[in-house]
């Protein structure tokens, strides 16, 4: 879609931003006092990362702050979402605060403000300090207290300038991929035994909200989770029950706790599931009030819809890789042969973003605060052509279609493109490129892609319309 046509569909106050995360871009893993996170440890184990890479250098954003800020200013986005590395700010996971960590994020935040870009900070984008993980990580109750200390330290340091705070990024992914299936750090395949970690993570979220408000920080406060609309693969009752179970695990477990302040009711046909340990979930107990603190916005990440069939998948495939543990789960994630796919083989279905938003609005009603789409984007095998440009027209189509859907929903205040720079894609290493800016991994040279020019045109058209 033409950038000028799309510009006319975005409200003047609709926030168009880019999103990144510390472990995926910063590098400088052992510099200026930063200590290892669970992802440094996970990546050091052979076989865990598809291309055997690590976050040690990533795309070296730590040493490219000024260049990257200049590019972002040229892009003209309204906001930049980035995360704080817990172990750069609090080496070993607890005090005292590392002054060099504060200096780095001061530079980033002040640079954004000077460029007229809203700084949006994620406190936790998956990089639990290694010593905390070694003691049990999010399976331990007191990790939530450690996280609240980190939130307080971040709030003290940056609370006068940050526009929006996101406590956790995608607790669902951390629990499911990290603790239940083991395809992500910390690589534990505890299946339904991972469930206790949910309450700890969400308690950490609530305590962090309290800690930020106690500072008090100036910005708004929310949480981000990833949601997916779920449909059964066929009309059979078994597939319908399997889809309901997946929807429960992926969507309702997290959002019901945070927005309703009570654990989601066990899904239909849940007798067998109780045996799997899900019964435990019916209790948030004395943590319910903390977990459901009122929020200023709800961050929704959307990438693709899910189609679910009953029965275990003999190949053990998940959207984030194959794993033995998935072979023991009583459902299979089916394909969407009717849709085109991204480099990750994820189905491209923009209308399903609309379904996700509608699902949230209908289910949570007046318990749902304003929505920010805090991530959306696509990986493609982008290459720099002979003429030095990167033609990623597929990404432009993806973004245009998804932005149009998001902007048409009055409940949505903004959309953050995942991502600004090609980055380290967790277990997929550098095999997937999501950026508006291509990064040469040998030289760290940055080359804006065609999609970068498209976003810049879009933002220029929006500004011109306001004059
Ligand atoms: C995560 C990002 C990740 C993206 C694409 C999201 O689930 O928040 O960190 O890079 O998906 O895989």
């Amino acid at each position: 879609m033409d950038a000028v046509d799309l510009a006319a569909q975005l409200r003047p106050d609709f926030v168009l931003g880019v999103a990144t995360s510390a472990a995926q871009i910063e590098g400088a893993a052992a510099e200026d006092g930063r200590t290892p996170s669970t992802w440094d440890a996970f990546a050091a184990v052979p076989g865990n990362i598809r291309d055997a890479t690590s976050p040690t250098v990533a795309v070296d954003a730590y040493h490219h702050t000024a260049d990257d800020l200049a590019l972002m200013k040229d892009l003209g986005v309204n906001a930049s979402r980035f995360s704080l590395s817990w172990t750069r700010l609090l080496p070993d996971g607890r005090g005292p605060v590392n002054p060099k960590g504060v200096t780095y994020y001061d530079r980033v935040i002040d640079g954004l403000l000077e460029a007229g870009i809203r700084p949006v900070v994620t406190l936790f984008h998956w990089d639990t300090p290694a010593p905390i993980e070694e003691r049990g990580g999010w399976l331990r109750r007191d990790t939530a207290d450690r996280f609240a200390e980190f939130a307080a330290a971040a709030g003290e340091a940056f609370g006068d300038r940050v526009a929006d705070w996101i406590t956790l990024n995608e607790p669902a992914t951390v629990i499911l991929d990290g603790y239940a299936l083991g395809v992500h750090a910390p690589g534990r395949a505890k299946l339904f035994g991972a469930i206790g970690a949910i309450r700890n993570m969400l308690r950490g979220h609530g305590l962090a909200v309290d800690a930020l408000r106690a500072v008090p920080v100036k910005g708004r406060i929310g949480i981000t989770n990833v949601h997916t609309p779920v449909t059964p693969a066929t009309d059979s009752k078994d597939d319908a029950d399997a889809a309901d179970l997946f929807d429960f695990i992926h969507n309702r477990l997290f959002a019901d706790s945070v927005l309703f302040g009570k654990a989601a009711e066990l899904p239909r046909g849940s007798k067998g599931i109780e045996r799997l340990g899900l019964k435990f979930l019916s209790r948030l107990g004395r943590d319910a009030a903390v977990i459901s603190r009122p929020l200023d916005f709800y961050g929704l990440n959307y990438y693709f819809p899910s189609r679910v069939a009953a029965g275990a998948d003999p190949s053990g495939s998940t959207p984030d890789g194959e794993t033995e543990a998935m072979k023991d789960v009583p459902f299979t994630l089916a394909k969407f042969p009717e849709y085109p796919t991204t480099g990750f083989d994820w189905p491209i279905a923009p209308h399903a973003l609309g379904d996700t938003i509608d699902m949230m609005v209908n289910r949570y009603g007046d318990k749902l605060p304003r929505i920010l789409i805090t991530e959306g984007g696509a990986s493609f095998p982008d290459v720099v052509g002979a003429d030095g440009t990167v033609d990623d027209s597929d990404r432009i189509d993806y973004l245009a279609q998804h932005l149009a859907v998001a902007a048409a929903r009055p409940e949505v205040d903004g959309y953050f493109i995942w991502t600004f720079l090609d980055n380290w894609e967790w277990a997929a290493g550098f095999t997937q490129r999501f950026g508006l800016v291509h990064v040469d991994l040998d030289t760290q040279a940055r080359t804006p892609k065609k999609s970068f020019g498209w976003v810049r045109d879009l933002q220029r058209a929006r500004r011109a319309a306001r004059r």
Side-chain angles (χ1 to χ4, degrees):
M1 189 191 297
D2 185 66
V4 177
D5 292 342
L6 181 61
Q9 298 178 33
L10 305 189
R11 297 189 305 273
D13 59 352
F14 188 87
V15 174
L16 181 60
V18 285
T20 61
S21 92
Q24 294 179 274
I25 62 166
E26 283 180 8
E31 266 177 69
D32 293 342
R34 181 193 179 276
T35 59
S37 83
T38 182
W39 273 95
D40 296 290
F42 183 74
V45 178
N48 278 350
I49 309 297
R50 205 183 287 179
D51 59 1
T53 56
S54 79
T56 307
V57 178
V59 289
D60 204 24
Y62 191 75
H63 295 119
H64 287 75
T65 319
D67 299 348
D68 290 346
L69 271 169
L71 269 176
M72 204 180 283
K73 186 172 181 189
D74 185 31
L75 183 64
V77 281
N78 310 110
S80 171
R81 173 183 171 218
F82 60 98
S83 80
L84 307 178
S85 155
W86 188 340
T87 57
R88 196 179 293 292
L89 211 58
L90 296 183
D92 301 321
R94 37 202 328 172
V97 175
N98 172 17
K100 291 196 170 150
V102 175
T103 305
Y104 170 61
Y105 293 115
D106 273 342
R107 259 205 334 255
V108 172
I109 292 168
D110 293 341
L112 288 172
L113 289 171
E114 276 159 32
I117 301 172
R118 283 170 80 87
V120 177
V121 163
T122 311
L123 287 171
F124 178 74
H125 203 122
W126 303 358
D127 45 359
T128 313
I132 292 186
E133 193 65 65
E134 280 156 24
R135 288 196 297 271
W138 292 103
L139 295 166
R140 265 182 74 130
R141 185 171 171 84
D142 70 359
T143 295
D145 301 282
R146 300 289 83 73
F147 179 62
E149 287 164 18
F150 167 50
E156 294 285 352
F158 314 118
D160 55 335
R161 286 157 292 158
V162 166
D164 301 292
W165 294 88
I166 295 166
T167 54
L168 303 177
N169 178 66
E170 298 191 1
T173 310
V174 176
I175 306 282
L176 300 177
D177 282 355
Y179 288 95
L181 297 173
V183 285
H184 276 185
R188 300 194 201 205
K190 296 177 71 69
L191 284 178
F192 294 100
I195 274 160
I198 294 172
R199 180 165 160 183
N200 297 335
M201 277 198 103
L202 296 182
R203 177 173 170 264
H205 150 74
L207 293 178
V209 171
D210 289 350
L212 291 172
R213 291 207 168 119
V215 169
V217 300
K218 271 170 53 182
R220 303 185 307 167
I221 304 174
I223 186 173
T224 281
N225 205 4
V226 61
H227 288 284
T228 178
V230 185
T231 44
T234 71
D235 294 341
S236 77
K237 172 154 188 330
D238 284 353
D239 284 356
D241 286 350
D244 191 50
L245 170 61
F246 185 81
D247 187 39
F248 164 82
I249 292 177
H250 200 98
N251 294 314
R252 306 196 303 259
L253 248 183
F254 295 89
D256 278 18
S257 307
V258 169
L259 297 172
F260 285 150
K262 63 182 173 70
E265 277 174 32
L266 286 174
R268 291 195 302 266
S270 65
K271 289 208 179 62
I273 296 155
E274 287 181 28
R275 278 202 308 279
L276 293 168
L278 287 188
K279 197 156 179 235
F280 177 79
L281 283 174
S282 45
R283 301 192 297 261
L284 293 180
R286 61 197 155 103
D287 297 329
V290 169
I291 287 173
S292 60
R293 291 285 191 249
L295 300 175
D296 302 312
F297 64 91
Y298 190 86
L300 194 157
N301 290 357
Y302 166 81
Y303 285 92
F304 50 82
S306 300
R307 176 173 285 162
V308 176
D313 178 352
S315 69
S317 46
T318 80
D320 295 309
E322 289 184 1
T323 171
E324 285 300 310
M326 189 69 187
K327 297 179 186 170
D328 294 329
V329 169
F331 51 75
T332 297
L333 292 170
K335 296 257 182 220
F336 287 87
E338 67 272 42
Y339 299 136
T341 50
T342 70
F344 248 138
D345 206 23
W346 294 348
I348 301 176
H351 70 275
L353 167 60
D355 296 344
T356 314
I357 297 165
D358 295 346
M359 166 183 91
M360 296 298 293
V361 169
N362 294 336
R363 183 169 179 82
Y364 299 105
D366 61 8
K367 298 283 181 205
L368 182 70
R370 302 294 303 164
I371 296 177
L372 277 180
I373 308 296
T374 38
E375 278 179 41
S379 64
F380 293 106
D382 305 316
V383 286
V384 183
D387 62 354
T389 66
V390 183
D391 183 351
D392 62 339
S393 303
D394 288 346
R395 180 169 293 105
I396 296 175
D397 291 345
Y398 182 103
L399 293 175
Q401 291 165 1
H402 286 77
L403 265 167
V405 169
R409 296 291 191 290
E411 299 83 4
V412 176
D413 284 343
Y415 186 102
F416 288 73
I417 298 167
W418 188 269
T419 179
F420 180 52
L421 303 165
D422 286 343
N423 67 11
W424 190 72
E425 263 301 319
W426 308 115
F430 291 114
T431 65
Q432 302 296 318
R433 293 183 178 271
F434 273 88
L436 299 175
V437 178
H438 180 278
V439 180
D440 180 315
L441 299 168
D442 296 323
T443 63
Q444 298 291 353
R446 272 80 165 135
T447 307
K449 302 178 191 176
K450 196 171 166 189
S451 58
F452 180 101
W454 180 83
V455 170
R456 186 174 50 193
D457 289 349
L458 172 66
Q459 291 293 82
R460 282 182 182 161
R462 294 180 69 201
R463 277 193 292 273
R466 280 209 296 273
R467 276 200 287 272

